[in-house]
Amino acid sequence: MGYVQDVIGKVKEKNPNEPEFHQAVTEVLESLEPVLERHPEYEKAGILERLVEPERQILFRVPWVDDQGKIQVNRGMRIQFNSAIGPYKGGLRFHPTVYSGIIKFLGFEQIFKNSLTGLPIGGAKGGADFDPKSKSDAEVMRFCQSFINELYRHIGADVDVPAGDIGVGGREIGYLYGQYKKITQAFEGVLTGKGLDWGGSLVRTEATGYGLVYFVEEMAKDKDKTIEGSTVVISGSGNVAIYATEKVQHLGGKVVSLSDSNGYIYDKEGIKLDTVKHIKEVARGRIKDYVKDHPEAQYFEDRGIWKIKCDIALPCATQNEIDEEDARALVGNGCFAVGEGANMPSTPAAVRVFQSNKVLFAPGKAANAGGVATSALEMSQNSMRYSWTFEETDAKLKQIMINIYRNASEAAREYGYEDNLVVGANIAGFLKVARSMLAHGVV
Ligand code: NDP
């Protein structure tokens, strides 16, 4: 058996019942075969074996008291995967489906994504099997305080800087930060996604969605296509989906649908984003509430969103939300580009359908890197005790996304995988980390 398959086999053996982690490792490692052939020193130094084993995994109990006075217990975790190129960086996810396999897949992907941004940040991810939905603000606050009471000793502005992800937005970051500050007596840039009044960066809220659309626009431009005048289907209705919608609209595209885990809306005249922002960011409601204000739109309680005819699809909800059949439906309806706002939203079979039908395909680890890139810009501003304007930060984000696209497509070309951004992103992200690990010796 070759080196790569050998390492994948061991990952499956040592991490049983973690299919998402196996999927992410297999996808990355198989695409690195040509690099390993050209650089035998990586195998000799055991780079892959070290890369797939997190540097540190922290598991902890999160006890808290609900509004009825009942004690609840959740499981918290932080997986610090790789610090070869900088302090650990990656989001926290609060969702009932969280378990080690999800956090490992996300942490592993984060290594390459962070490297691709060109900024000095290592890879990590964390979270808890806590569901903030239908909890009161006070319950969310008590949960966040208990979570950070344990995690605070493992993080720090130059050690590990968590951010948001599914279920962790501005409110949660605020509660986490407040408690961290109280325990440590330190006002430092230990979390990103902070409020603008207390160290946050302009554009961080918009960054993942905007960055995704900048990336897709650059990718489309290379093939003489554009977002302007295109019909776009976006899944999810959280942070990434909302700001991807906003940027598509800025560029003259029409977004006709959004979703949540219950169903999706279809508004053929184009989504009215102010209504969605109010439902999601103020009222904390469900996407079906949209049709109360816009009876001309339709709501469907199923997962048929990918059957809607569109030119561009932007999955921005969760992992494995587009399967092979969905991919075939998109191709059949003439979709020319898919940009992953979420992490690993397309199954491997779906990716094969896109690639074999010449659909432009932007993998999440490249296309959604705008969030973490702007988090790193937040870290820089915190270190300098300074803030850049919206325009300055947005211009930096756009340039970073263009660079990621160029680096990934050049790496693909260099290794004979023209137009395959999956392989290109993996290779470009890997090389910098591998070189650094080699330089640091066996650690
Ligand atoms: P939010 O919590 O703000 O929104 C998530 C959205 O996805 C909600 O509409 C949610 O619906 C939906 N969703 C979540 N789980 C499922 C599911 N199992 N099935 C169907 N829909 C689901 O999260 P974000 O917008 O921040 O994150 C979305 C994706 O983008 C994730 O994959 C995340 O890892 C990725 N990402 C986020 C970044 C960021 O900066 N925020 C950076 C890079 C990647 P419901 O309300 O019903 O749960």
Side-chain angles (χ1 to χ4, degrees), residues 93-95 97 105-106 110 113 125 131 133 163-169 204-205 207-209 235-242 259-263 280 285-287 315-319 321 340-345 364 368-372 375:
R93 176 176 292 192
F94 293 168
H95 194 270
T97 56
F105 116 66
L106 290 164
Q110 198 81 42
K113 181 188 307 192
K125 199 80 187 189
D131 189 359
K133 274 204 292 278
D165 189 75
I166 291 179
V168 179
R204 176 60 189 93
T205 305
T208 307
S235 64
S237 48
N239 172 265
V240 181
I242 286 176
S259 67
D260 60 23
S261 50
N262 296 109
K280 287 290 165 180
R286 308 299 298 158
I287 199 65
C316 294
T318 194
Q319 63 275 352
E321 54 169 309
E340 295 189 325
N343 284 307
M344 210 168 75
N368 72 29
V372 74
S375 276

Side-chain angles (χ1 to χ4, degrees), residues 152-348:
Y152 86 96
R153 63 186 102 246
H154 305 289
I155 59 177
D158 295 312
V159 179
D160 182 355
V161 183
D165 189 75
I166 291 179
V168 179
R171 174 183 60 170
E172 290 75 16
I173 294 288
Y175 294 146
L176 295 164
Y177 193 76
Q179 184 71 358
Y180 179 89
K181 186 165 69 63
K182 183 181 168 82
I183 304 170
T184 60
Q185 298 184 26
F187 195 105
E188 57 173 16
V190 66
L191 291 161
T192 56
K194 298 189 288 299
L196 294 178
D197 293 327
W198 40 280
S201 172
L202 287 160
V203 194
R204 176 60 189 93
T205 305
E206 296 84 355
T208 307
Y210 277 23
L212 166 69
V213 177
Y214 291 144
F215 190 100
V216 170
E217 178 73 343
E218 197 62 20
M219 176 174 79
K221 224 166 69 185
D222 245 3
K223 302 286 174 207
D224 298 322
K225 306 229 182 216
T226 176
I227 288 174
E228 193 179 355
S230 295
T231 298
V232 183
V233 165
I234 298 184
S235 64
S237 48
N239 172 265
V240 181
I242 286 176
Y243 292 96
T245 302
E246 186 164 281
K247 187 49 74 180
V248 167
Q249 293 180 343
H250 287 168
L251 296 183
K254 184 164 77 173
V255 177
V256 293
S257 76
L258 286 172
S259 67
D260 60 23
S261 50
N262 296 109
Y264 67 94
I265 51 167
Y266 175 63
D267 186 340
K268 69 175 187 317
E269 301 308 327
I271 297 286
K272 281 52 167 199
L273 197 56
D274 284 349
T275 308
V276 178
K277 282 188 179 175
H278 181 80
I279 294 169
K280 287 290 165 180
E281 296 181 341
V282 183
R284 295 187 187 275
R286 308 299 298 158
I287 199 65
K288 72 172 175 210
D289 299 340
Y290 181 90
V291 294
K292 287 184 202 152
D293 285 347
H294 301 286
E296 71 283 8
Q298 294 163 281
Y299 173 71
F300 300 92
E301 198 137 294
D302 60 56
R303 52 176 304 283
I305 187 168
W306 307 118
K307 309 228 160 37
I308 298 172
K309 187 171 168 49
C310 64
D311 304 305
I312 300 173
L314 304 178
C316 294
T318 194
Q319 63 275 352
N320 292 329
E321 54 169 309
I322 299 187
D323 64 17
E324 185 175 352
E325 195 190 320
D326 298 327
R328 288 197 192 287
L330 284 165
V331 170
N333 279 329
C335 171
F336 75 79
V338 174
E340 295 189 325
N343 284 307
M344 210 168 75
S346 316
T347 63

